[in-house]
Amino acid sequence: MTKPLALHPDRLFPTDPRVRDIARILYSQVADLPIVSPHGHTDPAWFATNSPFANPAALFVEPDHYVYRMLYSQGIGLDRLGIADREGRRAEVDPRDVWRLFAANYHLFRGTPSRMWLDWVFANVFALDVRLEATTADQYYDVIDAALGTDAFRPRALFDRYRIELIATTESPLDALDHHRVVAEANRSGEWAGRVITAFRPDPVVDPEFEGFADNLARLGEMTGEDTANWPGYLAALRARRAFFASHGATSTDHGHPSAATANLAPAAAAALFARVIGDSATPDDAELFRAQMLTEMARMSLDDGLVMQIHPGSFRNHNAQVFARYGRDKGADIPMPTDYVRGLKPLLDAVGNEPGLSIILFTLDETSYARELAPLAGHYPCLKLGPSWWFHDSPEGMRRFRQMTTETAGFYNTVGFNDDTRAFLSIPARHDVARRMDCGFLAELVADHRLSEDEAAEVARDLTYNLVKQAYRL
């Protein structure tokens, strides 16, 4: 017997009836505000070509490492899920069989944020009213597959349907940004008004331990006409690519370093370090010092070109060596590590931290640093803002802990709203709805405790939902 799928209208609101009533009122004022998604990993080709999504498995399973990392943790191989290897090759699997496998294991997601996001999409986007499980797998597949064949479910139509005002994707400096050029032309011609911009992610050319680093530098030189075998030429090439990205709409950079370490070497010492990391004598300590120096160099460049700087440290990337060797990066095996922000950021902050016009958004995978380090830093330095809870913490409890541990010291206005950081397109409205509900619940508690008036809470709710993100990312 199938079980109903129903989303309770009061989900995620406080259980105290008095506080819940306040949360309902606050949420009603922000539920339908436009979505601004300033940092994510959706594929810009979706919006450039506007081609239909291939099938339900390609839409829900293949792009979402939240989904397939859970399945992998239960012994389900990535080949069985149709995940491509690092050469783009896939095992010959029927997408319906992938979907059946997903459905038969949907119980694994009970209590997780993924379950909330997926149920939201199934109910609100595809009007499904029974729960996903083995017995309903084919029903789900047929309903979703039929919908994906209609114009109403093409990427641009879904973008418009869910009031997405802007999406920022994330690209390597070596990307030609051809898809963004197509979208920009569609904007100019009046074909489509959706705004899709890029963000500059320089990791492939600033991390000496990134695979293919030497080849990446050579390609960077070819693209810019600069000599990337010497320090001044290398910096000039990076400035040129930043300018190219800005010309394609970028307002931010994004830095996924293992740590928050920064450095401020003298020019001669920086040049000598660069010579080592492009030569044969570099050590792991050299690589870490070079990444640290490049964060400070990027901050200086942001002072010149105005791009907002995002720092996403604290991840042991590609922890599963076998999965990385076969399937490449971003396959669900990036694991959080402790991160030292106070000492790590000090060289950068000593160099440029008091400069007006510099804007740095700090993210973390290490929640222990919220109250101890991040909130006090952002509560003092004008250039620092706190990014929302992110990746494993983009969940109801993670969002609640973020507000509890940062608000007293940094307030609301040293934070930057919400970003979904997703590769799964349809989870964007679902994730934003969760964030709006959780923020309204938190604000309702402050109103009920007589620490905030209801009109102030309503203003803060709008700011957290819409205004702060536009200000922080200079949109």
Side-chain angles (χ1 to χ4, degrees):
M1 180 178 179
T2 57
K3 302 174 183 65
L5 171 64
L7 301 180
H8 197 285
D10 287 335
R11 64 191 180 280
L12 302 176
F13 290 160
T15 56
D16 181 314
R18 181 175 60 105
V19 184
R20 186 171 60 228
D21 286 345
I22 300 170
R24 286 171 178 160
I25 293 170
L26 295 174
Y27 175 72
S28 70
Q29 298 177 60
V30 300
D32 294 327
L33 288 177
I35 290 172
V36 179
S37 176
H39 170 82
H41 302 279
T42 51
D43 188 345
W46 294 340
F47 311 110
T49 67
N50 200 32
S51 299
F53 292 103
N55 56 69
L59 178 60
F60 286 100
V61 179
E62 291 177 23
D64 194 344
H65 60 68
Y66 279 89
V67 169
Y68 58 71
R69 76 183 304 273
M70 176 65 82
L71 299 174
Y72 184 82
S73 77
Q74 292 288 307
I76 298 171
L78 298 184
D79 277 357
R80 296 177 63 194
L81 299 172
I83 306 303
D85 67 15
R86 61 168 56 247
E87 305 300 328
R89 299 169 300 202
R90 303 175 189 273
E92 293 186 7
V93 291
D94 186 328
R96 187 181 288 271
D97 289 339
V98 172
W99 187 261
R100 288 170 175 164
L101 185 60
F102 171 47
N105 288 279
Y106 196 55
H107 63 280
L108 299 176
F109 296 92
R110 289 170 179 164
T112 68
S114 295
R115 172 65 180 268
M116 282 191 309
W117 304 330
L118 288 163
D119 282 354
W120 187 98
V121 175
F122 296 152
N124 288 326
V125 181
F126 295 101
L128 288 155
D129 58 4
V130 294
R131 199 178 303 169
L132 178 62
E133 53 192 19
T135 59
T136 60
D138 285 341
Q139 177 185 349
Y140 262 70
Y141 192 95
D142 292 339
V143 168
I144 295 171
D145 198 48
L148 296 182
T150 67
D151 287 344
F153 286 82
R154 288 176 182 260
R156 292 180 180 178
L158 290 169
F159 187 108
D160 295 339
R161 174 177 171 182
Y162 290 103
R163 304 176 308 281
I164 299 175
E165 183 174 303
L166 175 141
I167 282 178
T169 64
T170 308
E171 275 73 49
S172 156
L174 307 179
D175 195 302
L177 302 183
D178 290 337
H179 296 308
H180 290 86
R181 190 156 41 248
V182 171
V183 171
E185 179 54 38
N187 294 163
R188 284 191 293 270
S189 69
E191 176 186 336
W192 184 53
R195 190 175 175 197
V196 181
I197 64 174
T198 185
F200 181 76
R201 178 73 173 243
D203 299 3
V205 294
V206 301
D207 180 357
E209 295 179 323
F210 201 101
E211 64 269 22
F213 179 67
D215 291 338
N216 294 342
L217 290 192
R219 177 67 180 138
L220 179 65
E222 292 170 3
M223 297 179 80
T224 60
E226 299 288 349
D227 181 3
T228 53
N230 70 71
W231 178 241
Y234 168 70
L235 294 180
L238 289 171
R239 291 189 189 96
R241 293 308 290 170
R242 290 171 65 104
F244 178 77
F245 271 62
S247 73
H248 284 73
T251 67
S252 66
T253 68
D254 184 33
H255 308 269
H257 289 208
S259 76
T262 64
N264 187 25
L265 302 176
L273 175 62
F274 179 69
R276 291 199 300 277
V277 300
I278 65 172
D280 298 326
S281 60
T283 67
D285 287 344
D286 286 332
E288 176 69 352
L289 180 59
F290 186 74
R291 288 189 293 263
Q293 179 65 24
M294 289 312 300
L295 283 179
T296 304
E297 297 293 346
M298 287 288 161
R300 289 193 177 102
M301 292 183 194
S302 284
L303 278 172
D304 292 335
D305 61 25
L307 294 181
V308 175
M309 187 175 185
Q310 302 174 92
I311 304 178
H312 285 80
S315 174
F316 191 124
R317 303 274 176 179
N318 311 304
H319 194 273
N320 189 323
Q322 292 182 7
V323 167
F324 176 61
R326 182 167 181 181
Y327 296 97
R329 291 180 163 266
D330 304 318
K331 295 299 180 287
D334 295 352
I335 309 299
M337 300 185 298
T339 305
D340 178 348
Y341 292 86
V342 172
R343 285 183 288 268
L345 292 174
K346 194 168 192 317
L348 183 155
L349 295 172
D350 284 346
V352 294
N354 295 296
E355 292 286 343
L358 178 62
S359 183
I360 301 173
I361 300 172
L362 299 176
F363 293 80
T364 190
L365 288 168
D366 177 11
E367 285 190 303
T368 66
S369 65
Y370 280 157
R372 185 186 66 245
E373 300 185 36
L374 288 174
L377 283 167
H380 173 74
Y381 284 95
C383 69
L384 296 182
K385 295 289 186 287
L386 300 184
S389 48
W390 157 70
W391 192 16
F392 300 131
H393 307 314
D394 52 355
S395 62
E397 297 305 324
M399 293 171 184
R400 182 181 288 114
R401 290 191 297 267
F402 175 78
R403 292 294 177 208
Q404 289 172 337
M405 290 193 282
T406 63
T407 302
E408 288 184 341
T409 305
F412 292 112
Y413 292 89
N414 282 311
T415 66
V416 301
F418 179 69
N419 63 290
D420 45 76
D421 190 51
T422 186
R423 291 174 171 80
F425 178 35
L426 286 182
S427 77
I428 290 174
R431 290 171 186 243
H432 282 262
D433 184 66
V434 169
R436 294 174 187 193
R437 288 174 178 274
M438 292 308 300
D439 280 339
C440 288
F442 182 79
L443 290 165
E445 296 276 3
L446 298 184
V447 173
D449 287 349
H450 306 292
R451 288 188 281 166
L452 205 61
S453 65
E454 192 167 321
D455 65 299
E456 287 178 305
E459 185 175 333
V460 172
R462 288 191 295 272
D463 288 338
L464 294 178
T465 299
Y466 184 73
N467 295 325
L468 288 182
V469 64
K470 296 190 73 171
Q471 294 168 12
Y473 285 87
R474 298 174 176 170
L475 297 170

